[in-house]
Amino acid sequence: MKNGAFKVRKKNDRKSLISDIRDHVIYSLSKEVKDASEWDAGNALTLALRDRLVERMIETRDRYRRAKSKRMYYFSIEYLLGRCLGNFLCNMELLDLCEDIFKDLGFDLDEVQASERDPALGNGGLGRLAACFLDSLATLDLPGCGYGIHYEYGLFRQSIHNGYQCELADYWMKDGMPIQIARPDQSVIVPLYGRVESAISPSGEFLPMWVDWDDIIGVPHDIPIVGYGGKTVNYLRLFAACASENFDMDIFNHGDYIRAVQRKIESEMVSKVLYPTESVSFGKELRLVQEYFLVACGLRDITRRFMAQNRNFEEFADYVAIQLNDTHPALTVVELMRYLVDERRIDWEKAWDITRSTCAYTNHTLLPEALELWSVSLIEKVLPRHLQIIYEINSRFLKMVERKYPGDTGKMRRMSLISEGGTRKVRMANIAVIGSHSVNGVSELHSELVKTRLFPDFSELEPEKFNNKTNGVTPRRWLLNANPALAALLTDSLGKGWITDLDELRRLEGLATDKEFRDRFMAAKRTNKVRLANYIKATLDIDISVDSIFDIQAKRIHEYKRQLLNVLHIMHMYLELVDNGIASACARTFIFAGKAAPGYWEAKQIIKLIHSVAHVVNNDARTKGLLKVAFLPDYRVSLAEKIIPACDVSEQISTAGTEASGTGNMKFAMNGALTIGTYDGANIEMMEEVGKDNFYLFGLKQEEVEQALISGNYRPGEIYNQVPEIQQVFTALLENRFSPDEPGLFKWVVDKLLSDNEKYLHLADFKSYAATQKRIDKDYEDSNLWAGKAILNTARMGKFSTDRTMREYAEDIWNIKPVYG
């Protein structure tokens, strides 16, 4: 220690690292170095890195304290981190050194990294975005951290049996997570259930008291988040649920040991599994408890830190910013009000001003089913005091609306926090909007639709709070770490500046016509295609040609993402070849990856259809060298890191107006893939950046989709009658050509797509999609043309770094500033 400042002692040189790795094998793992396995070696290296990260984390914390900086806390129900070791090595600039060290120790660092399990803390884009944000915050030296839940089991591991998705438990913590740091000394108590008693203070003030509640304990675990260069280390704080010793012992002392154990198990269920099923009432209750658990733990931690610095709560919003990642943490608004009013005894209006000044809300979806609604009766059961506060917020808010729009009962009904139709429900999105000073969408189109389609009344009332923050991805994870072949070429050509300033890639534009650079760029692409082809052979026993177009759709399986449109086109290509004798200009390998929600029948049937089509196509001698189809199971970050760098054509084909942003589209293009996409989400901004000539646009625009659906003019039967290609595909489905052993299996596809109620307009976009695919074939035949387009996609993706996104949030919403090391 010197002048009260923490001194960083651990060095990153070869001698120090080797010494620490050996020490951890012996003293942390209790093994001799000669007996260490790859897994042991990986653990020892991780622990050696953790020592260094902990020192930097303490130094970063002290730096923030000295600067008296305002901090941002990101509340998200999920974080899809991916494997940590490789990312740490890249950001600490230790990858080459550690590869060399491990060679001397007799290990292959790539194989050591492959032994690490993906932390199963998220499901898809929402969680991966949160992880990218944390990376950029630390890289930019911004004071901020994440709050989430320490799930013991992930969503599920996906396996495929006879073409059907099967869900397996994903116990990702089976082998532990050596990088994380348990903080039991900072555990918090979370109250649940109970009832509210009304009392009156001596001064006549109403004093509601939440009593007879059960409690569970939230135990924090920190995962260090290191920025590029290793100077700033923030953290992700995840809370695990544990039973309260107090109520367990109370039951135990009454002689009911079995019930005491049962209560302990029930308490710990809160952080047991990501996304419990909502098909039964217990699942819904557990999900609500999870959301409150996240919020209560996070706020208790924030207020503890705030009070430790002896600050006045009227200054809370000057030092604290909270970002709500979608509606899952919307109860933050209510819990902060409860804390300020009930525990700090702050006047309601002042507490409301503090809450709104602190909270900001990001919306991620326009789909009505994704906007959370909780029944009033369930909230009353689980959080009785919070329901009272929701009613009070609603009453005061609607009085204000009534004053501004007298007599407009329709507007009041739409803006109310309570939906009154049928079962009364609480609208979590409305709570998030009312209780925040900022509401943002995640692409320009989406943000406009948030204002005009999703929250038009709120936008009219407070237009200044609505804004756009287009998503991004971190180039450290998705280019530097995931694509070493391309990253090496970029660094060789541009220097290392692009790693923290992705706009530097613009300098590649001048090389797009340079033959030597084009050849090296496409050689890097081929290296990645060979790696993926080998993985597919080892995993699925499918031989694919690396000279074929790798056409990839990797994302959650959902009707609006239109994997079904992709499969319709594949069936069309197959039938064109085998029935009509028309071969495509270029060989194609169609690759799919993604999970379907366990209760989503149509999505799971789409997976079955993909496998059935793949079985027919891949086993037909007539398609040899021309057409292959592969579905890679259990899509996760580590698999995405193999898939994305190998992609030639990126499928971003959601129905226009349904995808908020998309971030997979950015990852693919950043790695030199060309996009076939609709005029939707961030596709629009990507096309503007890379140029229309380097983007394959097709299909209806959002306003055309909306008009077709609102007017009722969408008649898929008429399209069917006019398009022979669709007729041929549907006939093949009805004649069971893709399900010869299961007659009638895919009749549902024909019925669904011919229904006038089919809201994703598959048939409306089919002809445009197929024609655009033919354009892709033609362009790919000209290798120089294609290489130039691919290079320009990489060169013009600077806007889509989360570094840019985080700067915008920091300046426009959070009002936080970098604190440099």
Side-chain angles (χ1 to χ4, degrees):
M1 303 288 288
K2 184 178 179 182
N3 298 327
F6 181 84
K7 184 176 180 181
V8 173
R9 295 184 297 111
K10 293 283 185 183
K11 297 179 180 177
N12 290 338
D13 60 279
R14 179 186 179 86
K15 181 179 177 182
S16 300
L17 277 165
I18 290 177
S19 175
D20 287 351
I21 290 168
R22 289 181 181 276
D23 282 352
H24 276 297
V25 170
I26 297 169
Y27 300 115
S28 299
L29 305 179
S30 303
K31 293 190 177 183
E32 291 189 62
V33 175
K34 67 183 177 61
D35 298 325
S37 66
E38 286 177 344
W39 185 85
D40 295 327
N43 262 11
L45 174 57
T46 301
L47 289 167
L49 295 180
R50 189 179 83 160
D51 293 342
R52 289 153 174 78
L53 292 171
V54 165
E55 287 189 337
R56 280 291 178 187
M57 196 159 65
I58 294 171
E59 187 280 326
T60 300
R61 178 202 66 190
D62 289 352
R63 196 191 328 146
Y64 293 164
R65 285 178 178 174
R66 289 194 301 274
K68 297 181 179 178
S69 59
K70 182 178 183 179
R71 301 192 201 187
M72 188 283 301
Y73 302 93
Y74 199 76
F75 280 31
S76 180
I77 201 75
E78 56 179 89
Y79 291 88
L80 203 58
L81 294 173
R83 292 172 178 161
C84 294
L85 179 56
N87 201 59
F88 288 146
L89 291 172
C90 274
N91 279 11
M92 296 171 78
E93 299 181 276
L94 293 174
L95 185 58
D96 291 341
L97 174 58
C98 286
E99 278 181 348
D100 191 42
I101 288 172
F102 267 57
K103 233 178 249 176
D104 290 349
L105 293 174
F107 295 102
D108 182 326
L109 186 58
D110 287 340
E111 293 181 11
V112 168
Q113 290 182 66
S115 69
E116 180 185 355
R117 293 281 292 265
D118 284 44
L121 297 164
N123 175 24
L126 183 85
R128 185 52 231 171
L129 179 75
C132 284
F133 278 5
L134 296 183
D135 176 273
S136 285
L137 281 167
T139 297
L140 296 170
D141 302 294
L142 288 167
C145 67
Y147 279 112
I149 297 177
H150 192 289
Y151 301 107
E152 190 174 336
Y153 288 86
L155 177 66
F156 60 85
R157 280 191 301 117
Q158 181 193 55
S159 66
I160 304 295
H161 295 284
N162 191 31
Y164 289 98
Q165 171 179 292
C166 296
E167 298 90 31
L168 304 173
D170 190 0
Y171 185 36
W172 70 277
M173 280 294 294
K174 175 185 174 185
D175 299 323
M177 189 182 193
I179 196 65
Q180 72 178 358
I181 305 148
R183 304 279 199 188
D185 59 308
Q186 296 181 16
S187 297
V188 298
I189 297 174
V190 178
L192 292 162
Y193 304 105
R195 58 192 174 84
V196 180
E197 280 189 355
S198 299
I200 303 295
S201 73
S203 62
E205 182 185 7
F206 174 61
L207 292 177
M209 292 183 293
W210 189 5
V211 298
D212 294 341
W213 34 263
D214 294 340
D215 55 11
I216 54 177
I217 307 299
V219 181
H221 296 73
D222 291 348
I223 298 174
I225 305 294
V226 58
Y228 186 76
K231 289 184 179 179
T232 292
V233 179
N234 294 329
Y235 59 87
L236 168 60
R237 177 157 287 190
L238 303 171
F239 289 89
C242 291
S244 164
E245 293 180 10
N246 291 331
F247 73 59
D248 276 2
M249 285 306 299
D250 183 58
I251 297 169
F252 178 80
N253 289 337
H254 283 83
D256 195 342
Y257 176 74
I258 298 299
R259 185 162 165 252
V261 173
Q262 183 182 352
R263 289 292 293 272
K264 174 178 172 60
I265 292 169
E266 288 173 356
S267 297
E268 295 178 357
M269 283 254 327
V270 172
S271 59
K272 187 68 72 176
V273 63
L274 172 68
Y275 279 37
T277 178
E278 297 183 14
S279 60
V280 293
S281 59
F282 178 74
K284 292 181 180 178
E285 185 172 326
L286 180 54
R287 176 66 170 172
L288 176 61
V289 170
Q290 280 187 332
E291 293 186 0
Y292 178 63
F293 178 75
L294 162 63
V295 163
C297 288
L299 280 174
R300 281 292 179 190
D301 199 56
I302 292 167
T303 53
R304 173 192 57 78
R305 186 175 297 111
F306 184 82
M307 287 189 292
Q309 295 168 355
N310 298 311
R311 289 178 175 147
N312 185 329
F313 265 92
E314 293 199 358
E315 301 175 322
F316 191 72
D318 295 332
Y319 292 95
V320 174
I322 296 174
Q323 189 69 35
L324 311 179
N325 193 28
D326 221 353
T327 57
H328 313 116
L331 283 168
T332 302
V333 172
V334 189
E335 172 66 3
L336 184 52
M337 283 298 291
R338 187 198 67 77
Y339 176 79
L340 294 173
V341 172
D342 289 3
E343 297 190 31
R344 307 308 304 178
R345 297 299 180 195
I346 294 174
D347 171 79
W348 179 280
E349 292 298 338
K350 183 61 183 174
W352 185 239
D353 181 60
I354 293 169
T355 297
R356 279 171 52 97
S357 299
T358 300
C359 296
Y361 162 53
T362 300
N363 174 273
H364 284 280
T365 183
L366 298 167
L367 300 180
E369 61 266 28
L371 296 176
E372 290 186 306
L373 299 169
W374 292 109
S375 71
V376 167
S377 60
L378 182 58
I379 291 185
E380 186 173 33
K381 175 186 176 184
V382 177
L383 302 167
R385 176 60 181 139
H386 294 74
L387 183 61
Q388 289 184 338
I389 293 171
I390 289 169
Y391 280 148
E392 183 66 18
I393 293 172
N394 198 40
S395 173
R396 292 171 181 249
F397 175 71
L398 291 181
K399 285 176 183 175
M400 184 265 289
V401 173
E402 168 66 19
R403 288 194 298 271
K404 189 164 181 69
Y405 305 101
D408 194 338
T409 55
K411 188 180 289 288
M412 292 179 67
R413 188 167 53 252
R414 292 189 300 270
M415 299 179 81
S416 173
L417 302 187
I418 312 295
S419 81
E420 301 289 349
T423 303
R424 299 176 75 235
K425 294 184 178 181
V426 178
R427 295 165 166 156
M428 304 312 289
N430 287 18
I431 289 177
V433 171
I434 291 171
S436 297
H437 70 275
S438 168
V439 177
N440 72 278
V442 290
S443 70
E444 289 177 2
L445 174 63
H446 172 240
S447 295
E448 185 61 28
L449 293 176
V450 164
K451 291 191 292 185
T452 59
R453 186 200 294 180
L454 201 58
F455 301 124
D457 297 306
F458 295 97
S459 177
E460 181 184 348
L461 180 68
E462 297 181 285
E464 69 285 349
K465 76 157 59 171
F466 287 81
N467 62 94
N468 174 58
K469 296 290 173 282
T470 297
N471 281 342
V473 300
T474 167
R476 271 77 59 184
R477 166 73 73 170
W478 294 109
L479 193 46
L480 180 64
N481 189 28
N483 195 344
L486 180 56
L489 173 59
L490 298 179
T491 300
D492 186 48
S493 304
L494 304 173
K496 293 173 67 174
W498 68 269
I499 299 170
T500 52
D501 181 5
L502 206 61
D503 286 329
E504 284 282 301
L505 295 184
R506 281 276 178 181
R507 292 163 54 200
L508 295 175
E509 289 185 9
L511 297 172
T513 55
D514 181 274
K515 184 180 185 310
E516 181 187 355
F517 184 82
R518 280 201 312 252
D519 290 346
R520 293 176 69 191
F521 189 93
M522 296 311 291
K525 176 65 72 175
R526 187 178 180 84
T527 297
N528 294 317
K529 291 175 74 171
V530 168
R531 181 177 68 154
L532 182 58
N534 290 338
Y535 179 82
I536 291 172
K537 175 63 177 174
T539 306
L540 303 176
D541 197 25
I542 298 174
D543 292 301
I544 61 176
S545 168
V546 294
D547 295 318
S548 64
I549 298 174
F550 279 25
D551 185 312
I552 300 178
Q553 190 171 17
K555 56 182 72 244
R556 181 164 52 97
I557 310 296
H558 197 291
E559 288 172 278
Y560 88 82
K561 294 180 183 289
R562 295 205 297 193
Q563 285 90 355
L564 195 50
L565 178 60
N566 192 346
V567 183
L568 288 176
H569 176 251
I570 295 170
M571 289 187 283
H572 159 63
M573 288 183 67
Y574 171 74
L575 295 169
E576 280 270 89
L577 175 64
V578 301
D579 289 1
N580 305 344
I582 302 172
S584 298
C586 296
R588 288 276 186 128
T589 298
F590 290 95
I591 299 169
F592 293 86
K595 297 179 181 179
Y600 191 169
W601 186 87
E602 287 87 351
K604 295 178 83 169
Q605 287 296 312
I606 289 170
I607 291 175
K608 172 61 176 174
L609 176 60
I610 293 169
H611 281 88
S612 296
V613 170
H615 180 76
V616 171
V617 169
N618 296 347
N619 289 288
D620 192 324
R622 294 169 291 184
T623 67
K624 187 174 182 180
L626 296 172
L627 193 60
K628 282 284 169 72
V629 182
F631 185 100
L632 291 173
D634 203 30
Y635 190 50
R636 58 203 183 278
V637 174
S638 56
L639 180 54
E641 289 170 338
K642 292 182 178 71
I643 291 173
I644 288 169
C647 181
D648 292 310
V649 175
S650 165
E651 299 271 352
Q652 307 297 331
I653 60 177
S654 53
T655 311
T658 59
E659 187 74 82
S661 168
T663 50
N665 48 5
M666 303 169 189
K667 295 164 194 166
F668 282 110
M670 194 177 285
N671 282 275
L674 275 75
T675 304
I676 178 168
T678 49
Y679 203 77
D680 194 30
N683 284 355
I684 300 167
E685 291 160 77
M686 283 174 53
M687 182 175 64
E688 290 170 352
E689 290 293 310
V690 305
K692 288 184 178 180
D693 291 341
N694 306 306
F695 188 104
Y696 294 97
L697 180 68
F698 77 95
L700 301 175
K701 291 187 176 182
Q702 176 268 325
E703 56 270 25
E704 294 170 317
V705 170
E706 200 166 82
Q707 179 59 33
L709 294 175
I710 292 172
S711 67
N713 288 335
Y714 179 51
R715 297 283 186 269
E718 295 177 6
I719 297 172
Y720 170 83
N721 290 331
Q722 296 166 9
V723 182
E725 295 87 348
I726 295 175
Q727 294 171 23
Q728 187 178 25
V729 170
F730 281 11
T731 298
L733 286 170
L734 294 174
E735 291 179 350
N736 305 308
R737 287 184 64 175
F738 298 102
S739 57
D741 299 326
E742 298 177 86
L745 184 62
F746 299 123
K747 182 177 181 297
W748 75 269
V749 175
V750 177
D751 293 341
K752 180 96 173 179
L753 297 186
L754 287 178
S755 168
D756 290 346
N757 296 320
E758 200 279 297
K759 59 184 177 181
Y760 299 117
L761 281 63
H762 286 74
L763 299 194
D765 280 349
F766 179 85
K767 278 189 71 175
S768 175
Y769 179 63
T772 305
Q773 290 282 17
K774 281 186 166 51
R775 267 207 303 132
I776 288 173
D777 278 348
K778 182 173 178 295
D779 288 351
Y780 193 81
E781 277 190 293
D782 185 337
S783 59
N784 287 327
L785 174 69
W786 188 269
K789 288 174 178 286
I791 292 166
L792 290 176
N793 266 265
T794 296
R796 295 170 177 174
M797 289 300 292
K799 173 180 177 177
F800 302 102
S801 166
T802 40
D803 295 350
R804 184 270 312 157
T805 311
M806 287 296 88
R807 286 192 187 97
E808 291 182 1
Y809 273 95
E811 294 171 10
D812 302 342
I813 298 176
W814 303 328
N815 191 28
I816 62 172
K817 293 179 170 51
V819 182
Y820 299 109

